[in-house]
Amino acid sequence: MKVVAISVGRPREVEWRGDRVLTSIFKEPRTGRVHAGRENLEGDEQSDLSVHGGRDKAVYAYPSEHYDFWRRELILDTLNWGAFGENLTTQGMLETEVCIGDRYRIGTAEFIVTQPRMPCYKLGVRFGRSDMVKRFYRSRRSGFYFAVAVEGDVESGDDVKLLGRDSGAVTIAASFLNGGRDQDD
């Protein structure tokens, strides 16, 4: 398991369906060491702390393995790392294998998996598609949030080491299915 890319973003206003929307979903890759603090990665800032961010959702991870699916699904030639608003694009950390409560070391920081991502309409803003949230739910490719247990520095290319897992832990995939709402309403 490893980190393929680290991406961060600050709030910005964009137009969506005739309204101005404040969002931080647009992320840019970072090079070099990046500090993982209790609330987020250095250079990253969430726009709406009532639904994103905070200690339990400080860092969002998304598997690089999903990118080929989305290129085909959305008929895109390119799709840059960080496209789903993730801070860490990972390799070898699929939702069917990662569990709530798993503890990982990346670089000098330690992270605890807290929950799957339940997307809001801003994913549609990012892709310019009003059907994106439905597509995301149906794909079951949610990614997951980390709390930062021990602050430290991370870098693209860092190995991800599993430090511990609770017996009977629930996978992100199972949690996503149980926590997701029916998007066909």
Side-chain angles (χ1 to χ4, degrees), residues 95-96 98 100 116 118 142 169-180:
E95 295 89 344
T96 54
V98 172
I100 304 292
M118 299 296 175
S142 66
V170 175
T171 66
I172 289 294
S175 180
F176 182 74
L177 291 176
N178 291 331

Side-chain angles (χ1 to χ4, degrees), residues 50-65:
S50 69
V51 291
H52 301 291
R55 288 186 179 249
D56 286 341
K57 295 186 273 185
V59 177
Y60 175 47
Y62 198 71
S64 63
E65 292 88 344

Side-chain angles (χ1 to χ4, degrees), residues 94-127:
L94 297 175
E95 295 89 344
T96 54
E97 299 161 4
V98 172
C99 295
I100 304 292
D102 281 0
R103 190 175 185 115
Y104 293 95
R105 176 176 293 121
I106 306 171
T108 61
E110 290 184 19
F111 300 86
I112 298 172
V113 177
T114 59
Q115 61 186 292
R117 175 194 193 177
M118 299 296 175
C120 71
Y121 75 96
K122 291 180 181 177
L123 190 62
V125 172
R126 164 63 181 87
F127 285 94

Side-chain angles (χ1 to χ4, degrees), residues 3 6 30-38 40-43 59 88 104-111 148-160:
V3 175
I6 297 174
R30 287 280 306 265
T31 58
R33 306 298 289 165
V34 177
H35 186 72
R38 297 277 184 202
N40 52 30
L41 295 182
E42 178 184 359
V59 177
L88 303 178
Y104 293 95
R105 176 176 293 121
I106 306 171
T108 61
E110 290 184 19
F111 300 86
V148 177
V150 175
E151 292 188 22
D153 295 332
V154 297
E155 186 171 5
S156 295
D158 278 350
D159 288 330
V160 178

